[in-house]
Amino acid sequence: MIYFDSAATTLQKPESVRRAVLRALTVMSSPGRGNHAASREAAETAFSCRSLAAEMFGAEGPENVVFTMNATHALNLAIKSLVREGSRVVISGYEHNAVTRPLYSMRGVETIVAESPLFDADAAVRAFETVLAQGVDVAVCTHVSNVFGYVLPVERIAARCRAYGVPLIVDASQSAGVEAVDMAAWGAAFAAMPGHKGLYGPQGTGLLLCAHETVPLIEGGTGSDSLLQQMPDYLPDRLEAGTHNMPGIAGLLAGLRFVESRTQEHILAYERALTEKVIEGLMQLHGVSAFAARERALQAGVVSFTVQGFDAEELAELLGARGISVRGGLHCAPTAHRTAGTVDSGTVRVSMSVFNKASEVERFLCELRRIIYRKSVF
Amino acid sequence: MAYYHIVARSITQAQQMTKLLEKKGIGVKLARAKASLTGKGCGYTLRVPERRFVTAMQTLSQKGLRPQRVFFEDETGLREVIV
């Protein structure tokens, strides 16, 4: 199988991740729940994971790194810590439902989309500036669009948010592991990321980096302050009720170490080169429209395309039947599709990981050519 | 032998303190706190030898790591220390 759906989940994981998960299942219980060997081993692993994440992504320290189930969970925590009834929230035009649905679910919250054209960084900054100047309480911006691979100018948007004193939540779902995520430099209130995409950890893992006061989503045991009936007022315990997903955390630590050893710069350059090869090939096919940035730095290892006469889901299915896994449709991001004008048709998305090869891109283009040719002939 | 018990607010803070002190060459023992030490149930302490206590506290303070409480223990017993 050729797997080009890493924007959803990276399927191929480093061997070290598999080994770490298995080891955790064998020797770890839960951190902070005793001082026996199994709990100590879990605590040591969790702490190493927090410390490395803090170092890689510019969080203040290990206490500011909270384990979550995924990026959606992390975003819900961040949004519900900052947004209140009556809040005005500005979001980019490329947000995922993980951002828009929590906002929509909250009573009396006004969400303003800072719309800007695809791959136009200056316009994105201007759009945020316009809304910020009107007065908002919170800003949310995705770092990289999960549909188009568009790298938004988060650093510049963060600077504008700081100037207006507006707390910023960054959705780093597609950027963690490939683009520089730097909480300290951005001065962001929160950054949310999954463990199972570019960090090569297992599903069921995510991180929330915190630089702002938080509100728990759930309450329960934390292994600390047990006599109190309120959740602790300090991180990470405040947001981590219940037993930890230690196999996941151990796998995530191995994934972080893998990314650190390969370096994000190298991974990005590699994925970008493959994506450019995809785009180049798509451009040569009749009836194909690929959404590609003119400026290299504005697109990560994700590309969307449409083919005249084909429904996106149908085309993804035809490719799937030929052993090529891509994702068709709206990618849980109708806001992004609305902004790009593809909400009615959807797109087919190809997304890379460091385990993909140039030969897989060639095979994909060859199969796509055959599918298009068949339809034109029959 | 006399020791100080530095009470941390969480396992994560206790680990952070331990790593920092170990880096400074101060050997500590991380343990679950006796109920009488935390006052809130379930917590962690770092056991520091008496002669390294001042350096340990200075090191933690420089990194903004504040203990919840501090206790001194010797052959006469255990008592809280105000720092």
Side-chain angles (χ1 to χ4, degrees):
Chain A
M1 191 221 314
I2 294 174
Y3 188 81
F4 284 155
D5 197 16
S6 294
T9 291
T10 47
L11 182 65
Q12 291 115 315
K13 308 288 185 189
E15 182 53 34
S16 57
V17 171
R18 272 193 288 272
R19 279 201 306 267
V21 170
L22 189 61
R23 188 169 178 280
L25 283 168
T26 317
V27 301
M28 291 179 203
S29 59
S30 194
R33 306 310 202 267
N35 204 27
H36 50 74
S39 181
R40 279 205 309 267
E41 180 99 34
E44 200 52 45
T45 301
F47 185 75
S48 298
C49 192
R50 292 186 210 278
S51 301
L52 183 53
E55 194 184 308
M56 286 173 75
F57 306 122
E60 197 186 329
E63 285 188 295
N64 302 76
V65 177
V66 170
F67 294 123
T68 62
M69 291 187 283
N70 44 48
T72 300
H73 179 201
L75 283 163
N76 267 269
L77 281 165
I79 288 167
K80 288 166 185 174
S81 291
L82 284 172
V83 180
R84 298 277 172 276
E85 190 172 348
S87 291
R88 278 167 55 86
V89 183
V90 57
I91 64 171
S92 84
Y94 296 92
E95 298 306 314
H96 190 276
N97 276 346
V99 167
T100 56
R101 281 184 173 168
L103 288 172
Y104 186 80
S105 77
M106 296 173 83
R107 243 184 24 190
V109 172
E110 187 186 353
T111 303
I112 306 142
V113 181
E115 279 190 45
S116 62
L118 198 51
F119 304 123
D120 189 337
D122 291 338
V125 178
R126 280 198 305 273
F128 265 90
E129 172 80 43
T130 303
V131 184
L132 286 166
Q134 292 163 5
V136 293
D137 302 296
V138 179
V140 189
C141 187
T142 188
H143 193 181
V144 173
S145 159
N146 72 307
V147 181
F148 302 103
Y150 170 27
V151 183
L152 278 93
V154 162
E155 204 175 327
R156 292 166 63 193
I157 290 166
R160 299 319 302 145
C161 288
R162 286 199 305 275
Y164 284 95
V166 173
L168 171 68
I169 299 169
V170 178
D171 177 0
S173 292
Q174 300 297 330
S175 57
V178 285
E179 292 278 343
V181 172
D182 193 340
M183 280 282 286
W186 296 341
F190 295 101
M193 59 185 69
H196 61 97
K197 300 183 198 270
L199 300 180
Y200 296 94
Q203 292 94 321
T205 59
L207 297 172
L208 178 65
L209 314 180
C210 306
H212 195 279
E213 278 177 26
T214 58
V215 177
L217 278 184
I218 57 167
E219 290 81 22
T222 57
S224 51
D225 294 356
S226 299
L227 282 172
L228 302 183
Q229 285 307 294
Q230 303 86 8
M231 285 297 281
D233 57 4
Y234 47 83
L235 293 173
D237 300 36
R238 184 165 175 74
L239 301 182
E240 291 183 358
T243 299
H244 291 80
N245 169 13
M246 281 318 301
I249 292 166
L252 177 56
L253 172 60
L256 287 169
R257 285 176 174 157
F258 171 80
V259 170
E260 192 190 31
S261 69
R262 293 275 179 119
T263 77
Q264 296 186 21
E265 294 77 12
H266 173 263
I267 293 172
L268 176 64
Y270 182 77
E271 291 181 7
R272 214 172 238 162
L274 290 178
T275 308
E276 282 169 1
K277 198 172 163 67
V278 171
I279 292 168
E280 210 173 283
L282 289 173
M283 298 289 202
Q284 288 168 14
L285 297 177
H286 181 71
V288 176
S289 303
F291 295 86
R294 286 213 184 95
E295 206 180 311
R296 201 167 191 254
L298 289 177
Q299 191 161 17
V302 179
V303 59
S304 258
F305 67 96
T306 57
V307 181
Q308 211 177 350
F310 283 89
D311 176 84
E313 295 280 10
E314 174 201 8
L315 187 52
E317 200 162 319
L318 288 168
L319 284 162
R322 289 162 184 257
I324 297 164
S325 304
V326 294
R327 175 97 175 265
L330 297 181
H331 315 93
C332 300
T335 305
H337 280 284
R338 218 167 276 131
T339 304
T342 51
V343 76
D344 294 328
S345 62
T347 59
V348 178
R349 179 186 72 186
V350 172
S351 53
M352 297 296 167
S353 88
V354 77
F355 292 106
N356 288 121
K357 297 178 180 71
S359 59
E360 293 178 328
V361 172
E362 282 155 22
R363 162 97 194 282
F364 155 73
L365 290 168
C366 178
E367 294 297 342
L368 181 61
R369 195 177 299 116
R370 281 185 185 147
I371 290 168
I372 296 170
Y373 178 73
R374 260 176 181 268
K375 189 155 185 174
S376 68
V377 170
F378 299 106
Chain B
M1 192 91 174
Y3 294 100
Y4 281 89
H5 297 275
I6 296 174
V7 182
R9 62 188 183 187
S10 67
I11 176 69
T12 310
Q13 192 192 44
Q15 288 173 300
Q16 211 177 347
M17 288 173 166
T18 304
K19 301 279 176 209
L20 188 64
L21 296 180
E22 282 176 351
K23 219 183 260 181
K24 193 84 181 173
I26 303 171
V28 299
K29 191 180 176 214
L30 175 60
R32 290 280 286 184
K34 294 175 192 164
S36 56
L37 298 191
T38 65
K40 298 182 196 168
C42 295
Y44 282 82
T45 61
L46 278 67
R47 197 178 74 175
V48 183
E50 184 184 18
R51 61 189 173 80
R52 306 305 308 273
F53 176 68
V54 173
T55 317
M57 289 303 287
Q58 283 169 347
T59 306
L60 295 177
S61 167
Q62 279 162 11
K63 286 283 176 189
L65 292 167
R66 284 216 340 255
Q68 293 286 89
R69 300 169 84 178
V70 177
F71 292 85
F72 178 71
E73 184 178 15
D74 60 10
E75 62 280 1
T76 64
L78 188 71
R79 51 196 175 275
E80 186 162 6
V81 177
I82 306 301
V83 287

